[in-house]
Amino acid sequence: MSLDPDLSAFLELVEANALSGEKPAMYMMTPEQARLDYGASTHILDIPGPLVASVTEITIPCRDGQSINARLYKPTELPATTALCPVLLYFHGGGYCLGNLDSHDSLCRSLAALTPCHVLHVAYRLAPEYRFPYAVNDAHDAYRWLLMQGFAYGLDATRIAVGGDSAGGTLATGIAIMARDEGWQPPVFQVLLYPCTSVWQDTGSHQRLARGYLLEADTLQWMFKLYLRSDADRTDWRFAPLETHDLSKLAPAYFILAEYDPLLDEGMAYAERLKASGVDTQVNVYPGMVHDFARLGNIVEEAGQVRQDLADTLAKAFYPENNRV
């Protein structure tokens, strides 16, 4: 399918702004400038999220004595199944150096309201101030906190899904693997929106879509240069899940991928590895879409559709007795 016409018009505007010098490409900015730009664009590109019953700000302690912030969304209604409620532990994208609790607020509100379930959105520490493996450790500390302290917020440790988009999807994959390897209570499901999974960005989709499709090759490498301590970190499975030797006995996974995303091929490759390892895996490739389209509610209707699709899939994992499709 050809690129969605609304996306095409939007990307032409982005290109025109870059050529005119009105707005430089992200890789030409400082991290501080890029964060400001990313945050400001959120309210332009995305729609406001739906109302939820409550939003609670939470502080989660980390292994190094510091702490990270998180935001817990409670839906207005939940099925009357048990006293404790299911929860999606969510990690935002942004190449490990951008994004915060506000940048993905609409998406998290939507998933909480539509599923319905609680959503715990974690603001892991960002590079270059905190390089690899800080984001990984923060994600794992958040998961362990949820296992041990979630009951105080009415959350069911036996019904945790992990998820995220882009770099956040990579963090979610790491939790599923580490929970298995360290004997933690495993998540019941993984929702992975266009995750980063490979050592090098040299697949066919990376070469074919290197420029002009929102996430550009130069920007991606700029992000990874800020995040990684050296190229040696690239072969660590916590950065590149495709390097994981054993992917068996992991939580079922649901992939959201985009046809015009440079990360398409590596997302497909990781999904195929999971399938070959006996993991129940579903893949949904959205035609005509680009990276990060789930946050482009003011640009494409598919942003709303993907949220409903994710919610339907999460509901099936959380409430199997309802047999919701």
Side-chain angles (χ1 to χ4, degrees):
M1 178 177 174
S2 60
L3 184 66
D4 177 89
D6 292 327
L7 276 176
S8 181
F10 166 65
L11 293 173
E12 287 176 6
L13 178 62
V14 171
E15 179 72 10
N17 287 340
L19 290 174
S20 68
E22 181 176 337
K23 182 178 176 182
M26 185 174 288
Y27 64 88
M28 300 178 67
M29 300 181 185
T30 66
E32 294 77 14
Q33 291 171 332
R35 289 170 189 166
L36 289 173
D37 181 73
Y38 190 79
S41 68
T42 295
H43 305 293
I44 299 171
L45 301 177
D46 207 358
I47 58 175
L51 291 176
V52 292
S54 65
V55 178
T56 304
E57 305 294 335
I58 293 173
T59 301
I60 297 175
C62 299
R63 65 190 68 187
D64 61 358
Q66 297 190 42
S67 61
I68 54 177
N69 296 321
R71 186 173 288 171
L72 180 65
Y73 299 86
K74 178 181 179 180
T76 54
E77 295 184 10
L78 281 163
T81 52
T82 61
L84 298 177
C85 301
V87 55
L88 167 64
L89 179 62
Y90 195 86
F91 302 98
H92 65 77
Y96 302 104
C97 56
L98 309 176
N100 54 38
L101 296 179
D102 293 332
S103 64
H104 289 64
D105 181 79
S106 175
L107 177 58
C108 290
R109 284 176 176 269
S110 296
L111 295 178
L114 294 170
T115 301
C117 68
H118 286 70
V119 175
L120 182 64
H121 181 199
V122 175
Y124 52 91
R125 288 173 285 183
L126 301 177
E129 295 87 348
Y130 298 93
R131 293 180 182 267
F132 178 86
Y134 271 98
V136 175
N137 291 341
D138 287 354
H140 296 165
D141 289 345
Y143 185 71
R144 288 187 290 186
W145 177 89
L146 187 53
L147 290 177
M148 295 184 289
Q149 303 296 331
F151 68 90
Y153 294 87
L155 306 177
D156 187 351
T158 68
R159 286 190 293 169
I160 299 174
V162 293
D165 58 285
S166 197
T170 309
L171 296 176
T173 68
I175 289 176
I177 295 167
M178 190 163 285
R180 178 201 63 188
D181 292 348
E182 298 197 3
W184 304 346
Q185 173 70 39
V188 298
F189 205 64
Q190 304 177 69
V191 287
L192 309 175
L193 286 74
Y194 24 82
C196 310
T197 67
S198 64
V199 175
W200 299 106
Q201 292 66 54
D202 56 3
T203 65
S205 60
H206 278 290
Q207 296 171 19
R208 186 173 66 253
L209 306 169
R211 189 174 183 277
Y213 295 93
L214 195 60
L215 178 62
E216 301 201 335
D218 288 337
T219 295
L220 194 57
Q221 296 310 318
W222 173 81
M223 290 172 166
F224 291 164
K225 184 176 180 180
L226 291 173
Y227 177 55
L228 299 173
R229 297 166 298 184
S230 71
D231 276 350
D233 286 337
R234 286 180 172 272
T235 59
D236 191 308
W237 67 266
R238 295 172 297 175
F239 172 75
L242 279 169
E243 295 299 292
T244 309
H245 176 68
D246 180 11
L247 291 176
S248 65
K249 301 178 181 178
L250 297 179
Y254 181 64
F255 284 76
I256 296 294
L257 304 176
E259 182 183 10
Y260 287 89
D261 183 357
L263 300 180
L264 173 62
D265 287 354
E266 62 186 87
M268 291 293 295
Y270 190 63
E272 290 303 318
R273 278 282 311 278
L274 290 176
K275 290 179 182 179
S277 300
V279 177
D280 182 7
T281 303
Q282 303 175 61
V283 180
N284 195 344
V285 180
Y286 286 73
M289 293 294 105
V290 297
H291 190 78
D292 208 23
F293 78 94
R295 291 196 319 118
L296 302 181
N298 276 329
I299 307 297
V300 291
E301 294 181 358
E302 283 80 359
Q305 184 60 55
V306 72
R307 297 178 187 196
Q308 186 63 64
D309 292 345
L310 284 166
D312 289 344
T313 305
L314 279 167
K316 189 175 180 180
F318 284 146
Y319 311 110
E321 68 278 5
N322 293 347
N323 196 29
R324 182 175 172 181
V325 179

